[in-house]
């Protein structure tokens, strides 16, 4: 039987060249979705194949890789993707945001500020910000070509007319370098300001939809809004029950059958780092070392 | 005290171990062999090869076994393997008029050169469960005839001689062959890419679309001009050697639908074609593909594009079951973060709604 | 005629060298004006520089038509080397090439003679790989735009009219060409988003 053997970081060199060329074009045209011949990966479409292909195309032996899903290194899909690169590229992995050179993420941007030696790779399900307003690619391509984003403004304005504010909580559209309207992937709008003028390179991979796009470092990324209805960052009314952080994105945890709730940081590395520095939340009065064995 | 959820890695390992155990089934029952799958579940193997876009019976059988009989999972396994294979080039076009035919039927002519050959088919079997197959059985040996030495012309070629049907696009060796696995698709797509997309498309999706076109959603009056099954030679032009090298024979099912066409001011009315081709014996797939191919030619033939089966962007964007299952099933992945955002937004909207109910006039003004 | 056995070597480790070269080009493109070092290829035919050769080995293949300027095409060595090592077709029509190798920046053809993409597909454009004598010596040119924290400074010998032509290129955005300047094993990228201000000295 034709027993399979695989290349460094899984992808064959021809595929990597094709993806690398697309990445360079994406960086040169910030926010524009570059079509690429996405391959079938050994994980399902919709489970991060775009991000995995981008990571596989850039990853080298000197890199330190971090993979997060929902802000956490320990969600099953994050583990699965991290294992994939440990196995196929023998790359060093970490859960520390500060130590990573490449961070692949689904649905979050880490809380700790990114630095210039880092690349953030987003997994993107639907790269087209106009897709739910106009399902046809032929139409949306035309709108991007003309920079004609009236449809999006109408949608946002209808929200304001109906609710008094823009009713989009995640995948909140942004304008990149004052030209392309871009989908930030389904990150909560809480994370949008982190994309603006970020020192790290941000790459976006949509495998099923076969698109790669990018935000170069230090590039203007503006959340769409109106002068009289400016963009507001969603703010929780609570602090993290573990590390007491008052300015991180929180997950709501249901703690009993009566519907009691508490809030904890979605970014587990950020939360653990704070706890190790001695920050204590309401659920975590005991020293950190003990809480680990609870 | 609350401790953040951990242990995903262990959970994955245990889940995979359990999966392997359940795949094996009752350990007192002999394990199914690849030869058994390939030989006795052969139409399943044909489908996996067709939609997996890889002609390899043994690997397709392995995929079916590994996937526990889940066909889309098996197709996915084969596709993922295919994606890693080096690409040497494209074969010469296969000539189905030189097919060694095992089955050939036409619904347009009662008889024609080469005749109708019923071959092996479920057609005309009475669909009664056969208790004999519950045990071990050895069927009667088949009746055999001499293989026909002569090539069998295709029914559409016969129609073509009188100009009653549009001619097939001329074969042009210099024309590059589109490949949607090597280049990102853009719309409008040419017919080569459409046919490649349909060949890889989910059989059930094409079946339903083809059916919808028969029921009037983009109707184009099809006749099954010919369905043929058999073996054809595949050849590869080796630049170094300077001639086409035979690579071997593959089994194909080909369907040519003959459809009505009214003609235009400049063109005399003639029949048009819908084309279907699949690996192995895959008649339902080849016929559905031919119906949808013809429906998708609406733009080219100046017909109104009104029905889903005629809409190439709709059809081609949703036909691939590996893509479709991935995205549908990705809803199993955690979406805590987005859900949290939606919860926050919903709570805010409900609060505002109830506040507005209490003071209706103010809210009305604010909205205006 | 050069035989295959005489063909100069490319990368010692194709996979890892291509990855490292790509990261240098990616960092250069993401941070216009920054000088990045490339892990150079060996056995490169003149006038191809080691850095240009490494980029070719990393990004060229049968899907990327390549155009050579007069200096690169002066002998057949460069074209042969490219065909042998990358399988990229070397073509005469600069308007449909994916990459153009420029040996003489002073004779750079009009930028409209390269592919600049369309508004629908601005990515269908040429990337120019332009060899220059130095990326540390020469008049200072101030750069601004995406990838640059405030301003960056490029030092190289560049004809004044080229700056004007690149300003026109910038104005075409999202269409346009992208440049990678190469001096031996050092590179600087100038994507279409970069704006120029010539400085004294």
């Amino acid at each position: 039987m034709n027993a399979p053997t695989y290349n460094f970081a899984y992808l064959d060199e021809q595929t990597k060249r094709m993806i690398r060329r697309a990445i360079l074009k994406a960086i040169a045209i910030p926010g524009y979705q570059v079509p690429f011949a996405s391959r079938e990966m050994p994980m399902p479409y919709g489970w991060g194949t775009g991000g995995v292909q981008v990571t596989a195309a850039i990853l080298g032996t000197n890199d330190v890789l971090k993979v997060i899903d929902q802000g956490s290194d320990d969600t099953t899909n994050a583990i699965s993707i991290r294992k994939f690169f440990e196995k196929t590229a023998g790359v060093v992995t970490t859960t520390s945001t500060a130590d990573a050179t490449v961070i692949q993420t689904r649905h979050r941007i880490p809380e700790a500020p990114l630095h210039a030696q880092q690349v953030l790779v987003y997994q993107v399900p639907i790269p087209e910000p106009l897709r739910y307003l106009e399902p046809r690619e032929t139409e949306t391509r035309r709108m991007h070509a003309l920079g004609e984003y009236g449809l999006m403004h109408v949608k946002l304005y209808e929200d304001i007319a109906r609710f008094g504010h823009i009713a989009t909580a995640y995948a909140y559209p942004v304008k990149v370098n004052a030209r392309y309207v871009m989908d930030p992937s389904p990150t909560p709008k809480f994370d949008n300001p982190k994309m603006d003028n970020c020192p790290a390179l941000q790459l976006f991979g949509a495998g099923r939809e076969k698109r790669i796009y990018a935000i170069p470092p230090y590039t203007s990324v503006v959340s769409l809004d109106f002068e009289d209805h400016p963009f507001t960052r969603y703010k929780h009314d609570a602090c993290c029950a573990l590390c007491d952080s008052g300015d991180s994105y929180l997950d709501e945890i249901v703690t009993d059958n009566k519907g009691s709730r508490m809030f904890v940081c979605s970014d587990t590395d950020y939360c653990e780092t704070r706890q190790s520095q001695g920050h204590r939340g309401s659920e975590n009065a005991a020293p950190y070392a003990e809480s680990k064995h609870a | 005290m609350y401790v953040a959820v951990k242990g995903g890695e262990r959970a994955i390992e245990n889940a995979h171990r359990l999966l392997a155990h359940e795949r094996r089934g009752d350990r007192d029952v002999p394990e199914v062999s690849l030869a058994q799958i390939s030989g006795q579940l052969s139409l399943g193997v044909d489908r996996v090869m067709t939609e997996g876009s890889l002609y390899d019976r043994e690997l397709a059988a392995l995929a079916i076994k590994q996937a526990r009989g889940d066909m889309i999972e098996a197709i996915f396994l084969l596709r993922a393997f295919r994606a890693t294979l080096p690409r040497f080039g494209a074969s010469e076009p296969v000539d189905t008029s030189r097919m060694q035919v095992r089955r050939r039927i036409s619904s347009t002519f009662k008889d024609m050169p080469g005749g109708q050959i019923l071959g092996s088919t479920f057609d005309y079997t009475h669909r009664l469960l056969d208790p004999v197959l519950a045990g071990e059985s050895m069927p009667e040996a088949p009746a055999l005839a001499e293989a026909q030495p002569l090539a069998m012309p295709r029914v559409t070629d016969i129609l073509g001689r009188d100009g009653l049907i549009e001619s097939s696009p001329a074969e042009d060796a210099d024309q590059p062959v589109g490949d949607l696995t090597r280049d990102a698709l853009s719309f409008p797509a040419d017919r080569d890419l459409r046919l490649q997309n349909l060949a890889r498309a989910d059989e059930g999706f094409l079946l339903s679309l083809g059916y919808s076109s028969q029921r009037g959603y983009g109707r184009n009056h099809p006749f099954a001009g010919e369905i043929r099954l058999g073996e054809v030679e595949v050849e590869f032009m080796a630049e170094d050697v300077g001639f086409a090298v035979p690579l071997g024979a593959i089994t194909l099912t080909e369907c040519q639908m003959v459809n009505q066409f009214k003609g235009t001011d400049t063109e005399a009315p003639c029949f048009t074609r819908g084309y279907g081709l699949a690996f192995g014996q895959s008649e339902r797939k080849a016929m559905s593909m031919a119906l949808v191919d013809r429906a998708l030619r609406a733009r080219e033939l100046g017909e109104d594009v009104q029905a889903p089966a005629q809409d190439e962007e709709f059809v081609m964007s949703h036909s691939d079951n590996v893509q479709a299952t991935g995205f549908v099933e990705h809803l199993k992945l955690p979406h805590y973060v987005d859900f949290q955002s939606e919860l926050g937004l919903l709570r805010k909207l409900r609060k505002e709604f109830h506040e507005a109910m209490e003071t209706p006039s103010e809210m009305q003004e604010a909205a205006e | 005629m050069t035989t295959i056995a005489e063909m100069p070597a490319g990368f010692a480790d194709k996979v890892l060298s291509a990855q490292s070269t790509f990261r240098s080009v990616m960092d250069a493109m993401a941070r216009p004006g920054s000088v990045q070092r490339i892990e150079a290829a060996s056995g490169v035919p003149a006038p191809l520089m080691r850095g240009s050769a490494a980029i070719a080995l990393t990004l060229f293949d049968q899907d990327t038509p390549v155009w050579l300027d007069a200096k690169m095409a002066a002998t057949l060595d460069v074209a042969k080397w490219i065909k042998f090592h990358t399988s990229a077709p070397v073509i005469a029509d600069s308007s449909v090439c994916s990459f153009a190798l420029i040996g003489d920046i002073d004779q750079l053809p009009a930028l409209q003679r390269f592919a600049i993409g369309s508004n629908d597909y601005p990515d269908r454009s040429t990337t120019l790989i332009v060899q220059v004598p130095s990326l540390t010596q020469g008049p200072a040119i101030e750069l601004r735009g995406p990838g640059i924290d405030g301003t960056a400074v490029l030092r190289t010998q560049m004809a004044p009219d080229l700056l004007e032509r690149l300003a026109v290129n910038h104005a075409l955005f999202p269409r346009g060409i992208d440049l990678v300047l190469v001096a031996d094993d050092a590179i600087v990228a100038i994507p279409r988003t970069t704006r120029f201000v010539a400085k004294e000295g």
Side-chain angles (χ1 to χ4, degrees), chain C residues 40-101:
Chain C
S42 60
V44 176
L48 202 60
M49 289 177 177
R50 299 188 296 162
S52 315
I55 294 173
L57 292 172
T58 301
L59 294 174
F60 295 7
D61 60 25
Q62 53 270 42
D63 295 330
T64 60
V66 174
W67 182 85
L68 305 179
D69 78 348
K71 187 167 177 187
M72 287 288 179
T75 71
L76 285 176
D77 291 352
V78 173
K80 266 193 213 156
W81 188 90
I82 288 171
K83 280 182 195 160
F84 177 77
H85 282 289
T86 74
S87 306
V90 174
I91 59 167
D93 181 358
S94 59
S95 72
V96 292
C97 68
S98 302
F99 294 95
L101 275 170

Side-chain angles (χ1 to χ4, degrees), chain B residues 42 64 81 111 183 189 224 229 266 298 307 310 320 328 362:
Chain B
S42 54
I64 291 171
F81 173 70
D111 203 1
D183 295 302
L229 162 74
T266 52
Q310 296 171 313
D320 190 302
V328 167
E362 275 177 43

Side-chain angles (χ1 to χ4, degrees), chain A residues 124-135:
Chain A
V124 182
I126 303 276
E128 179 47 71
L130 305 167
R131 181 62 68 234
Y132 297 119
L133 306 173
E134 168 52 66

Side-chain angles (χ1 to χ4, degrees), chain C residues 136-142 153-159 198-201:
Chain C
T136 49
Q137 310 281 313
I141 302 159
E142 194 177 282
V153 174
L154 167 67
R155 281 188 179 278
T156 193
Q157 293 292 345
M158 206 188 259
K199 279 195 352 184
E200 297 306 312

Side-chain angles (χ1 to χ4, degrees), chain B residues 144-203:
Chain B
L144 295 175
E146 284 292 304
Q148 297 225 16
L150 292 174
M152 244 181 246
R154 290 169 297 211
V155 168
T156 44
D157 296 339
I158 300 169
L159 285 170
R161 269 177 222 134
D162 302 329
L164 290 170
I165 193 164
E166 60 173 342
S167 51
S168 240
E171 173 188 319
D172 181 356
D174 295 331
Q175 198 66 16
V177 185
D179 183 351
L180 51 79
T181 69
R182 311 299 289 179
D183 295 302
L185 192 59
S186 58
F187 298 108
D190 286 342
R191 195 170 175 210
D192 56 344
L193 290 173
R194 295 203 304 261
L195 286 170
Q196 184 187 16
N197 178 284
L198 296 179
R200 289 159 59 91
D202 183 74
E203 179 175 311

Side-chain angles (χ1 to χ4, degrees), chain B residues 121-300:
Chain B
T121 175
F122 293 124
D123 299 347
Y124 317 112
T125 62
H126 295 145
R127 269 57 169 209
L128 302 170
L129 280 172
D130 183 358
V132 174
L133 289 178
E136 298 211 348
S137 66
M138 193 51 74
E140 210 183 327
L144 295 175
E146 284 292 304
Q148 297 225 16
L150 292 174
M152 244 181 246
R154 290 169 297 211
V155 168
T156 44
D157 296 339
I158 300 169
L159 285 170
R161 269 177 222 134
D162 302 329
L164 290 170
I165 193 164
E166 60 173 342
S167 51
S168 240
E171 173 188 319
D172 181 356
D174 295 331
Q175 198 66 16
V177 185
D179 183 351
L180 51 79
T181 69
R182 311 299 289 179
D183 295 302
L185 192 59
S186 58
F187 298 108
D190 286 342
R191 195 170 175 210
D192 56 344
L193 290 173
R194 295 203 304 261
L195 286 170
Q196 184 187 16
N197 178 284
L198 296 179
R200 289 159 59 91
D202 183 74
E203 179 175 311
F205 180 76
L206 290 193
L207 176 67
S208 295
L209 277 177
Y211 176 48
S212 73
S213 76
Q214 284 180 288
R215 285 194 68 257
Y217 288 80
R219 178 159 168 77
N220 48 45
H221 305 271
F223 297 95
E226 182 176 340
I227 295 154
R228 58 168 59 194
L229 162 74
E231 279 67 40
V232 293
E233 289 287 332
V234 179
E235 293 178 332
F236 184 75
M237 177 59 86
E239 298 292 346
D240 310 345
V241 198
F243 56 86
V245 181
L247 300 180
I250 61 171
T251 305
L252 290 178
T253 304
E254 182 187 60
C255 172
Q256 297 234 33
M257 289 286 178
V258 175
N259 302 69
Q260 223 171 43
F261 176 51
K262 291 192 181 75
T264 65
D265 293 346
T266 52
E267 284 175 77
C270 65
F271 289 119
T272 54
R273 296 165 190 258
Y275 188 76
L277 189 73
F279 288 151
Q281 183 163 15
S282 306
E283 284 175 30
R284 187 185 301 116
K285 169 68 185 262
M287 293 176 74
S288 305
M289 177 176 166
L291 289 175
V292 179
D293 169 48
R294 176 59 185 80
L296 288 178
R297 296 182 62 205
R299 181 169 46 87
E300 165 199 345

